[in-house]
Amino acid sequence: MGLRFLNTLRRELETFEPLSPGKATIYGCGPTVYGHAHIGNFRTFLFYDLVHRYLAWKGLRVRFVMNLTDVDDKTIKAAKAAGLTLSEYTRPYAESVIAESDILGIRRLERYPRATMYISEMLWLVGRLLERGLAYRTEDGSVFYDISAFPEYGKLSGTDLEAGRQGERVVDDDYGKDDVRDFALWKGVKPGDDEVGAAWDTPWGKGRPGWHLECSAMALSELGQTLDLHLGGEDLIFPHHEDEIAQSEGATGLPFARFWLHVKHLRVEGKKMSKSAGNFITVRQLLEEGVSPAAIRHQLISAQYRNDLNFTREGLEGSSKAVGRLLDFEERLAGHPVRPDAASTSLPALSDEAVASFTRSMDDDLNVSGGLAALFVFLNRTNTLLDATPALAESERNRALAVLASLDEVLGLLEVGHRARNVDGALEEWIEERIQARTRARSEQDWAAADAIRQELAGRGIVLEDGSAGTRWKVSPHNG
RNA sequence: GGCGCCGUAGCCAAGUGGUAAGGCAGAGGACUGCAAAUCCUCCAUCCCCGGUUCGAAUCCGGGCGGCGCCUCCA
């Protein structure tokens, strides 16, 4: 299908073909729901969305699952502090991730499994790994993975275990691990865990799952033993994904994921985002400030996922303008006059070229910058053509509109932008009435009255555009 | 210390051997009652030095600068 991804597993571009023709399975590591998701999280989720949409656009039936981690050190600690149970504490955040995803136009997924719902699958995995001699129990009721028993450990991250362990005599008093690099599959119960509902009975004592185990259990049970794609942030390559591989392949004996894609961390105003740097931004905050969802979406998808992306306020303004232009373009094209006897134009060629150029870029490891460029080249050339063409053949116009809609099935910018431009019926009636009044005033050359109405509408966030075909209106971008 | 990334116009960002996409901002012009939208023109030789090559932003070497991961942070 011509689509290539940089597979972290081999660090080179590989042509993507799903294991089962026509169908793709994807697992994306989701957030830990202990607070509101930040824009960095959403760069990642929007990247997931792009993978999801693009594969669907290419004609694949995609089964995409993203987990929500609701039991780990952070959620337990926060729940304890709040005096709530784990589920009481995490539910609002789990809901807000999905609500904000909706607002940003991220397609709903097949499932959003939550770790606490997969305890039995995890126990099965742990049992299996113990059986196969890949794990061992410790005195405190924990179970650790013995990475020395999994020779392929390190293949994803390129970690050379032997080199790192030269002369190392490890004694870890806290956990009693045989080797510092061994990781917890299951953790023995700690004081307070039970009160927040973070302890489960198991054959090896009461306890709760290790973080890495959660993803393996959810991915295997939701998507089968070998996934087509496994996605995550760059920070997860080691140890999280390395550990997932060890667990999953150790248990099944089969390749866990065929392609691993990792998205680079977002920067904010040129710096790493962190609470201490004071540049920690949540999507929730931006939305409360009135920033348009389409602008957020545009900026967060504007760079290819493996490259730096610098999130800036200035850039957000630019994104807002860019999306507004796209919306204006669509309206203009849709409203352009058609005539049965219109001469043919180069519009079909421009339409074809847009799709071809877009596909070429996106096939190249999801080069969204190139994809957006293809779209804007199409916009510019088509506008030029419309300026010079009083009326189009309907088929040509519709085809161009279909191309625009098609590209947006992947980008989702018009989709999200439309929402901000919709107004309710009552307001729309009022707007139409005012426009008619203004048109009368204009026909009488009563410019003062006409301008007064323009101002009146502007006060409600409505912008008017006088054209040869009459007056059109739209919701001001600054109100969107 | 280990692994890796990046350095392209005021800002964001494509391009990885044949003489610089796109977005935003800026300047000038067209159109326009005003405005909006739109169009046209202009605005970079790609951090520095050396090398390979007929030819390099693009490959190699060396600098300088910025950044990420390696701490259950996407």
Side-chain angles (χ1 to χ4, degrees), chain A residues 9-73:
Chain A
L9 209 44
R10 278 175 279 283
R11 310 212 168 193
E12 57 188 37
L13 284 170
E14 295 180 352
T15 298
F16 177 75
E17 290 290 349
L19 198 55
S20 306
K23 290 189 286 191
T25 53
I26 312 177
Y27 185 87
C29 278
T32 300
V33 284
Y34 69 112
H36 288 290
H38 53 70
I39 52 175
N41 289 313
F42 277 98
R43 177 189 194 185
T44 296
F45 306 152
L46 281 163
F47 158 63
Y48 293 177
D49 187 49
L50 238 23
V51 173
H52 186 178
R53 285 168 175 262
Y54 193 61
L55 291 183
W57 191 78
K58 299 280 278 185
L60 295 173
R61 281 181 48 209
V62 180
R63 182 168 169 80
F64 196 136
V65 167
M66 180 178 88
N67 72 291
L68 300 174
T69 297
D70 60 356
V71 51
D72 80 323
D73 289 348

Side-chain angles (χ1 to χ4, degrees), chain A residues 318-333:
Chain A
S319 288
S320 180
K321 296 272 180 59
V323 172
R325 232 179 122 203
L326 224 41
L327 288 160
D328 287 340
F329 171 60
E330 184 188 39
E331 283 185 23
R332 182 183 187 194
L333 183 59

